[in-house]
Amino acid sequence: MNEALLELREIRENNLRKSATVVRLWVSDVEPKIYRLGHEKWVILEQVLIAALDVGNLDLAQVCLNHLRKRFPESSRVKRLYGMYLEASNKIDDARNIYKQILDKETTDVIARKRLITIFKAQGCINNAIDELNKYLKIFMADVEAWGELSDLYLAQGDYKHAAFCMEEVILANPHNHLLHERLAEIKYSEGGVENLELARAYFAQACRINPLNIRALYGLILAASSLSGKLTEKTLAALLEESSNAAVSHQYSLPPPNAVARVGGGGSGGGSFDSKRENHQLIIWAVGKLKKIYLDAGMVAPVALANVIKAKVGTTSRETPALPLSSSRLRGDYAALPEMFECLSTSLEESPRQHKK
């Protein structure tokens, strides 16, 4: 029995999900000697009850619940367990009433409110789930997982504006996670409009800046930049790639010089946004080159959309692509540095052919 108790304690303290093991240890070793458990008896009963609900053993859950309700008849903790038992018994309305009674007495009960949100979500009542989750976040504003869940719920309703706001809150808690920047960029891209496309381009670029091997962000950067610069044909893109290694063909496509950048705002370094067709083209060049290198390094064949553009370049150009430069005066998570990053990126693309020739 001592070994069983030690194993149950280890599972409980490490928050492991081994429900079948917990039920087996209880039935075979612990339950016959329940009178010897002492004060640890109630914690083990709670552990076994949750494990029994997880494996669908409602009879065992009922036995454990009866012990707990008899010992703690007014406990909110036991009432929550009773609500979970009602959920498992498919008595959803009764479970919801139990959770509401708990919240009426104690509005800061985290588990009861989360269970209530889960019920609404399981029933497909997304609007009710959103309302409850907003109430929860008014009390626990630092819960990053709740912000992420709320963003998903807004996306399920097609509310991109509020979904983007929630994702921004998640990024504030973890600004160096490239997947979060990529997620926000996708939301902004889906929302549409020039302003949102510019934000999508910025967040895709930030994701690429943090992790240059993020293929999804690289493709997103190409899509956002292409949407802002108009439809880009394969012929034009091939010419732009040629231009990155040979500036002699630039006059054929009447592209503005790299420093012809329209700034919006104060005009200072990093203080405005780019509205230059050439800047978008340069971003596309960098992203396509980076994708080419990723596919080559992996020994894979590039997708048709890229292969048609770069197949003539595979054997002639360097496999090195310029890295996104980091300004010494700015941090990686500083969004104000993004326009400055675009400018540095264009400079790197212009300088890289000369460095290659050397």
Side-chain angles (χ1 to χ4, degrees):
M1 178 179 173
N2 290 333
E3 293 181 359
L5 291 177
L6 289 175
E7 188 171 355
L8 287 174
R9 190 178 298 123
E10 181 182 358
I11 293 173
R12 186 170 62 250
E13 292 176 352
N14 294 315
N15 199 25
L16 302 176
R17 186 174 181 178
K18 295 184 177 181
S19 302
T21 302
V22 171
V23 171
R24 176 179 56 80
L25 291 173
W26 170 262
V27 173
S28 61
D29 299 327
V30 181
E31 187 178 18
K33 302 177 182 179
I34 188 174
Y35 59 91
R36 296 173 53 185
L37 293 178
H39 292 294
E40 194 178 10
K41 168 184 176 180
W42 312 112
V43 179
I44 294 177
L45 281 171
E46 180 184 19
Q47 180 183 8
V48 174
L49 191 158
I50 295 174
L53 292 176
D54 195 22
V55 299
N57 191 338
L58 297 183
D59 293 334
L60 177 57
Q62 178 70 65
V63 171
C64 297
L65 184 61
N66 290 337
H67 283 291
L68 291 170
R69 295 184 73 183
K70 183 177 180 180
R71 177 64 178 83
F72 308 101
E74 300 298 327
S75 171
S76 297
R77 188 169 177 175
V78 175
K79 289 181 180 179
R80 287 198 305 266
L81 294 173
Y82 179 48
M84 294 170 64
Y85 173 78
L86 292 174
E87 286 185 64
S89 303
N90 203 26
K91 298 178 181 179
I92 304 300
D93 293 336
D94 294 338
R96 184 167 59 243
N97 292 332
I98 291 293
Y99 295 139
K100 287 183 177 180
Q101 291 175 10
I102 296 173
L103 292 173
D104 288 340
K105 294 182 179 179
E106 182 57 59
T107 57
T108 59
D109 193 309
V110 176
I111 299 177
R113 194 171 292 279
K114 285 186 175 181
R115 294 309 310 170
L116 187 59
I117 294 169
T118 302
I119 288 177
F120 284 131
K121 186 177 177 181
Q123 290 182 317
C125 302
I126 304 300
N127 289 330
N128 292 334
I130 289 174
D131 292 339
E132 287 297 329
L133 198 47
N134 276 312
K135 293 177 183 178
Y136 171 82
L137 285 170
K138 287 181 180 179
I139 303 173
F140 305 99
M141 290 179 286
D143 192 333
V144 179
E145 292 182 356
W147 283 111
E149 180 67 23
L150 184 57
S151 177
D152 292 338
L153 292 176
Y154 277 128
L155 285 176
Q157 296 294 87
D159 191 345
Y160 296 111
K161 181 178 179 181
H162 288 94
F165 174 82
C166 296
M167 190 52 58
E168 288 171 355
E169 294 291 332
V170 178
I171 290 177
L172 285 175
N174 193 358
H176 300 300
N177 188 330
H178 64 99
L179 297 176
L180 298 179
H181 291 276
E182 171 202 307
R183 178 70 165 169
L184 180 54
E186 291 172 352
I187 294 173
K188 285 296 182 181
Y189 184 86
S190 300
E191 190 174 358
V194 175
E195 183 178 354
N196 290 320
L197 285 175
E198 289 178 349
L199 288 172
R201 179 186 61 183
Y203 284 111
F204 276 130
Q206 182 70 355
C208 295
R209 184 183 184 184
I210 297 172
N211 180 15
L213 300 180
N214 187 332
I215 295 179
R216 190 180 181 97
L218 288 168
Y219 276 114
L221 183 59
I222 293 173
L223 288 173
S226 298
S227 298
L228 288 169
S229 62
K231 186 176 181 181
L232 206 62
T233 64
E234 291 183 1
K235 181 179 179 181
T236 304
L237 184 54
L240 289 168
L241 287 169
E242 178 69 25
E243 181 192 15
S244 68
S245 57
N246 182 8
V249 299
S250 60
H251 66 279
Q252 297 180 11
Y253 297 92
S254 302
L255 295 176
N259 57 355
V261 177
R263 292 182 180 273
V264 179
S269 176
S273 61
F274 286 91
D275 189 22
S276 169
K277 188 173 183 179
R278 185 184 184 90
E279 287 297 326
N280 287 315
H281 289 175
Q282 297 286 18
L283 286 172
I284 295 170
I285 292 170
W286 180 85
V288 170
K290 196 68 181 178
L291 285 169
K292 179 190 72 172
K293 184 177 185 299
I294 291 172
Y295 281 110
L296 287 175
D297 290 344
M300 298 172 61
V301 179
V304 176
L306 289 177
N308 291 339
V309 176
I310 66 176
K311 62 182 178 180
K313 302 292 178 183
V314 173
T316 58
T317 59
S318 171
R319 292 174 63 176
E320 296 296 328
T321 55
L324 288 171
L326 295 176
S327 172
S328 59
S329 61
R330 297 186 182 275
L331 299 176
R332 295 167 70 113
D334 187 359
Y335 298 119
L338 284 172
E340 180 178 305
M341 179 192 67
F342 293 155
E343 185 175 26
C344 295
L345 176 59
S346 298
T347 303
S348 298
L349 286 167
E350 291 294 324
E351 293 176 353
S352 57
R354 291 195 293 271
Q355 294 172 355
H356 178 60
K357 289 180 181 179
K358 291 180 181 179

